[in-house]
């Protein structure tokens, strides 16, 4: 099993002006080809620091893959640092020079500027990696003990094809890897990370292959199974029994796997049951509808919605009673119920969901603080409401309320018998 | 001038299953506070490797900032590795334990599970960093030679406030930096990157301080001015004349600066003119409303909207004529106009915007391909429509159509005289 480290080069990365997406892309491609990534790094456009990073990485790993710092300007220094790290000089690569001249005359339509010439210099003994999408060629250079430094441009549209078409085939041949990482992700909702740990934590400790990891994001947790095997058939065989065990232990909280999202699962469930859905949103301001309509084919089950931001809209378009608004306020069980019932009737949907709350930062009171949100769910059997208190700023309250609303829909759809007739 | 390194912890980063946005966020905050980032790293959930990375980083830098690996599960190992790297043991922090008990009883609404207790263990001698948005506290731990390891959770919604409210103030006090990077961002719309380059490219070459950078994202460009100075007063003096020049050259395409967004500028403009707004969305499915209601105080001008996904909703809730739907189709100038007029009348708003298009991947025809979107804008003077053809997948078409809709509103608000009376 070979292992590599990845180094991204560029001062803009250290200033946080650019999010490094190259590293994740390279790491993913390596994992899929059975090559372990030991660590990743970002360094600035500084020759000594790049060289020191490369030297340290080569001590730990079989090779290093870099992106960035191959351009024609004075602060592009990856190649110089590679030469320093390997103790070799740079020599003109005639094929690279020809490619660049041709690219300039055919694609750019003018003579190649003199300062581009330096891009055709490669570390002595290196293999050239052609760049059909830009001027800077990449290379694979070698240390005396047979380790390698492979360097690619930082522009993703040049780096990605070079990786896929040039570097990965070379790595596959060199390391003859017959090992692949296959993953299965189980998405949960309504369970805290610590409770997940109580239910399946023992499996973490005993399981080496597949490995298990828990990823928390946006108030929800994913359980990830990663199998390292020689074939996808073997991977399936490794993952399946463990997945079964986890599914049993987490019964009731797994809403989907791999590419599923809460909204895609809700819509699929509605579709299977021949049901339709409408929404009435106040504090989430359209986010629940936007999440649902992100899914291709949403129109099969999602009828539409009202963003009832102003109270007048709640009254006129959802039939909320003025007296109830006055007596209980817009953020109340009563108004949430009337919004859901009104949306269900007026849109002629099987199910309707409502959200009304205090998103903040203004509008909170001691009785109804920022983050208080009421949800309503109307269906043929009537309407139910539910209250939650979210913590965080406006953005987080809106996000969490949207996720919670989708979770309520999921639970409702899951429990429902197929073929409940819509109203109308 | 102090310098730090940043370490992101998580095997999912090395598998490329997650793009690390935390590191860029932390780096940007440090740059703004005059703290140099020397290098950044990502390591897996492996105690020895995390510890080795921390030890190596502390040799080069004055301190290390980590994100991730503070959760309650067995593969959360940042704290253990920090103790290893510093040669200290972990001790129970009573304040952290109290916070966690309180959080569970108040926010989560149940007893704290036993395995969360380990989250309240901190390296001996460490300062606790409170986490109001999650259970894992952060910490600042110290080496014998006065260097530090500051660790924060990996969940961005927990990490960001901890960084801003706890860690940055501590860093500012400790390092008392006297050099600050001050930035001013000018947001443009309706101008291509290459045209921007033609209008202000000459300034890039001649300007060293402030530096100028153009950042393109989501079809729009930002122009960023960065000044490095000893005081914010000096920064102002450096930035102002250059900003003035750029504003003159880019007259008509700058819609705001710094924290402004297109939606916040639209809402502010409406508010100043005493106007109100309603929306009727089909293919954007609530995204325009969601963008507007992301802005605190949106309720002053934004009345509400209809997500008219199904044609029946367009007819019943917006008054679109069935004959027109049949004759011209839902994606047409006629229907866009009727949707906007209908929304304006039914919501009693000064202005109403409509969006109807083919988001894809299904539903496109040779006459009305995926990406074709009609917009309508109704105001007291009547209704205007406009057609755009966007390229890309469903997500991109929805994003671009939302941005374009907000751009139309911005142009409309900018041209409008203040105090146009609303209808009703």
């Amino acid at each position: 099993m070979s292992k590599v480290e990845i180094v991204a080069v560029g001062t803009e990365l250290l200033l946080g002006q650019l999010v490094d997406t190259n590293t994740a892309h390279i790491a993913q491609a390596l994992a899929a080809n059975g090559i372990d990534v030991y660590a990743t790094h970002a360094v600035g456009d500084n020759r000594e620091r790049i060289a020191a990073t490369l030297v340290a990485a080569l001590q730990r790993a079989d090779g290093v893959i870099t992106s960035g710092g191959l351009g024609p300007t004075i602060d592009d220094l990856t190649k110089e640092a590679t030469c320093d790290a390997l103790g070799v000089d740079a020599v003109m690569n005639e094929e690279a020079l020809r490619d660049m001249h041709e690219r300039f005359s055919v694609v750019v339509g003018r003579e190649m500027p003199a300062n581009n010439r330096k891009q055709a210099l490669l570390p002595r003994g290196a293999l050239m990696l052609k760049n059909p999408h830009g001027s800077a060629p990449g290379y694979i250079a070698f240390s005396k003990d047979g380790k390698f430094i492979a360097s690619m441009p930082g522009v993703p549209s040049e780096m990605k094809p070079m990786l896929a078409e040039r570097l990965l085939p070379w790595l596959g041949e060199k390391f003859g890897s017959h090992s692949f990482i296959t993953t299965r992700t189980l998405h949960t909702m309504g369970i805290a990370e610590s409770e997940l740990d109580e239910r399946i934590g023992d499996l973490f400790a005993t399981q080496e292959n597949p490995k298990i990891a828990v990823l928390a994001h946006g108030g929800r947790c994913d359980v990830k199974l990663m199998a390292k095997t020689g074939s996808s058939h073997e991977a399936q065989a490794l993952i399946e029994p463990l997945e079964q065990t986890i599914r049993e232990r987490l019964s009731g909280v797994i809403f989907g796997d791999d590419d599923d999202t809460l909204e895609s699962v809700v819509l699929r469930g509605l579709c299977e049951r021949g049901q339709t859905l409408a929404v009435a949103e106040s504090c989430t301001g359209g986010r629940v509808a936007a999440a649902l309509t992100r899914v291709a084919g949403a129109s099969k089950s999602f009828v539409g919605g009202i963003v009832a931001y102003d109270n007048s809209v709640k009254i006129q378009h959802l039939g909320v009673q003025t007296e109830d608004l006055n007596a209980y306020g817009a953020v109340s069980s009563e108004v949430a119920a009337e919004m859901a019932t009104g949306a269900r009737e007026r849109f002629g949907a099987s199910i309707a969901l409502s959200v009304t709350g205090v998103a903040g930062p203004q509008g909170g009171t001691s009785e109804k603080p920022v983050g208080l949100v009421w949800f309503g769910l109307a269906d043929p059997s009537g309407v139910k409401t539910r209250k939650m208190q979210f913590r965080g700023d406006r953005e987080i309250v809106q996000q969490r309320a949207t996720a919670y609303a989708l979770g309520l829909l999921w639970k409702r759809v899951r429990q429902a018998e197929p073929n409940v007739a819509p109203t109308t």
Side-chain angles (χ1 to χ4, degrees), chain A residues 101-110 132:
Chain A
H101 274 296
E102 196 188 312
R103 183 181 157 77
F104 267 90
S105 78
V106 175
V107 183
V108 188
R110 60 184 168 88

Side-chain angles (χ1 to χ4, degrees), chain A residues 40-57:
Chain A
T40 76
H41 317 271
V43 284
D45 301 311
N46 176 301
R47 185 165 170 170
E48 288 77 30
R49 291 193 206 169
I50 303 171
T53 304
L54 294 174
V55 167

Side-chain angles (χ1 to χ4, degrees), chain A residues 87-170:
Chain A
V88 298
D89 59 345
V91 292
M92 184 57 69
N93 184 298
E94 293 303 328
E95 188 187 350
L97 194 61
R98 262 200 316 277
D99 284 355
M100 283 169 55
H101 274 296
E102 196 188 312
R103 183 181 157 77
F104 267 90
S105 78
V106 175
V107 183
V108 188
R110 60 184 168 88
E111 277 293 290
M112 188 177 85
N115 61 350
N116 277 83
R117 271 184 73 88
K118 87 158 202 171
Q119 293 186 291
L121 287 167
L122 298 188
R124 187 176 293 276
L127 300 174
M128 197 252 289
L129 296 170
K130 270 181 186 288
N131 182 353
H133 302 281
S135 62
Y139 57 82
I140 309 171
F142 301 93
S143 70
K144 293 182 181 70
D145 56 351
K147 295 183 172 186
F148 71 90
I149 297 174
S151 296
M152 298 184 289
V155 180
S157 61
E158 300 179 22
M159 183 278 287
K160 289 179 183 178
M162 188 180 288
L163 175 69
E165 295 158 24
R166 312 279 160 177
L167 184 54
L168 285 177
W170 181 86

Side-chain angles (χ1 to χ4, degrees), chain A residues 283 309 329-331 357-372 394:
Chain A
C283 68
Y309 216 61
V331 180
V358 190
Q362 307 298 316
T365 62
S366 60
E367 212 180 306
K368 293 181 180 178
V370 168
L372 177 73
R394 182 180 180 88

Side-chain angles (χ1 to χ4, degrees), chain A residues 256-279:
Chain A
D257 53 38
D258 294 337
D259 291 339
D260 287 338
T261 60
L262 202 38
E263 46 271 27
S264 74
V265 171
V266 164
L267 288 165
R268 199 194 307 145
L270 288 168
C271 200
E272 284 165 8
R273 288 164 178 77
Q275 298 184 327
T276 56
L277 171 68
V279 298

Side-chain angles (χ1 to χ4, degrees), chain A residues 68-277:
Chain A
L70 294 184
T73 69
I74 201 160
D75 60 353
D76 287 306
L77 295 163
T78 300
K79 199 155 49 191
E80 290 76 357
T82 300
C83 289
D84 295 349
L86 300 174
V88 298
D89 59 345
V91 292
M92 184 57 69
N93 184 298
E94 293 303 328
E95 188 187 350
L97 194 61
R98 262 200 316 277
D99 284 355
M100 283 169 55
H101 274 296
E102 196 188 312
R103 183 181 157 77
F104 267 90
S105 78
V106 175
V107 183
V108 188
R110 60 184 168 88
E111 277 293 290
M112 188 177 85
N115 61 350
N116 277 83
R117 271 184 73 88
K118 87 158 202 171
Q119 293 186 291
L121 287 167
L122 298 188
R124 187 176 293 276
L127 300 174
M128 197 252 289
L129 296 170
K130 270 181 186 288
N131 182 353
H133 302 281
S135 62
Y139 57 82
I140 309 171
F142 301 93
S143 70
K144 293 182 181 70
D145 56 351
K147 295 183 172 186
F148 71 90
I149 297 174
S151 296
M152 298 184 289
V155 180
S157 61
E158 300 179 22
M159 183 278 287
K160 289 179 183 178
M162 188 180 288
L163 175 69
E165 295 158 24
R166 312 279 160 177
L167 184 54
L168 285 177
W170 181 86
L171 287 169
E173 219 164 273
K174 175 167 172 75
F175 293 108
S177 166
H178 297 294
S179 147
F180 301 88
I181 293 178
T182 309
T183 65
R184 165 72 36 83
T185 307
L186 302 174
H187 305 288
T188 74
M189 62 148 285
I191 181 167
E193 197 176 355
S194 54
E195 202 190 327
L196 262 184
D197 199 49
E198 278 177 20
R199 291 214 221 164
I200 59 169
D202 59 311
L203 300 173
F204 288 48
T206 54
Q207 281 291 331
E208 263 304 308
N209 192 17
K211 273 192 185 170
I212 308 175
V214 170
L215 296 174
H217 52 88
R220 291 207 293 264
C221 295
D222 290 344
V223 180
K224 205 151 199 164
L225 282 64
M226 289 165 279
K228 203 170 216 171
T229 51
S231 73
S232 67
H233 181 77
E234 278 178 66
Q236 250 355 59
L238 273 182
I239 284 178
E240 254 169 32
L242 184 61
E243 181 183 345
Q244 207 44 50
T245 307
I246 293 176
R247 281 188 182 273
E248 278 159 25
R249 295 216 200 157
L250 299 181
S251 165
V253 301
I254 295 176
F255 68 80
D257 53 38
D258 294 337
D259 291 339
D260 287 338
T261 60
L262 202 38
E263 46 271 27
S264 74
V265 171
V266 164
L267 288 165
R268 199 194 307 145
L270 288 168
C271 200
E272 284 165 8
R273 288 164 178 77
Q275 298 184 327
T276 56
L277 171 68

